[in-house]
Amino acid sequence: MAHAAPAPGGMPRPGLAPGSGGEAPGSAVHRPPDVFDARTHQIARVAVPVVLALVYGYWAAANRRSGGPITGWNVLFGFVTAIVFAVVCFGMLTVAPRLRREMHAVMWTVFAGCAFGFLYSQTGESIIRSVGMSLAVAAVTFVVFFYRYYTHEDAVGHRIR
């Protein structure tokens, strides 16, 4: 299979200023292309939390019935769970980016820990085990999100370009 040969000087890395030593001489700073247009981003901003909420509601309802028959109350429980998840997720997407990076990470940690703990509690396990598992998930989530926001935002919470 034939491949194109690399261009002389290589490709400039996104985010580097000209003359910083990381790009070809005389090249401009290029950002990666935005594959989707603004309309697609607007649709995804609504569609992704809605789809996540529906999956979460189905998962909670399935955990609650423990493989038993699907009943009307079980379906209602799933939809109510999905609605609550979607409302909280939309709230998080609205409020969290306005916070400093530490609180931004803490808010997503609390959201993930509570969401997991609720799902785990629907399996019938003890409350102590549910709390322990959700704290473990929250701790890992905090480490991941704190690292991400610490390396991609300044101290005030603005994205580093």
Side-chain angles (χ1 to χ4, degrees), residues 97 104 148-149 152-154 157-161:
H104 195 170
R148 194 245 185 240
Y149 295 133
H152 289 81
E153 294 181 356
D154 63 8
H158 300 107
R159 286 188 180 172
I160 299 173
R161 298 276 178 197

Side-chain angles (χ1 to χ4, degrees), residues 104-125:
H104 195 170
V106 167
M107 281 191 70
W108 281 110
T109 298
V110 170
F111 178 70
C114 289
F116 182 83
F118 179 74
L119 280 180
Y120 198 80
S121 71
Q122 297 305 308
T123 62
E125 291 290 332

Side-chain angles (χ1 to χ4, degrees), residues 25-40:
S27 66
V29 175
H30 297 287
R31 292 185 59 209
D34 192 5
V35 183
F36 301 113
D37 63 353
R39 181 175 175 265
T40 306

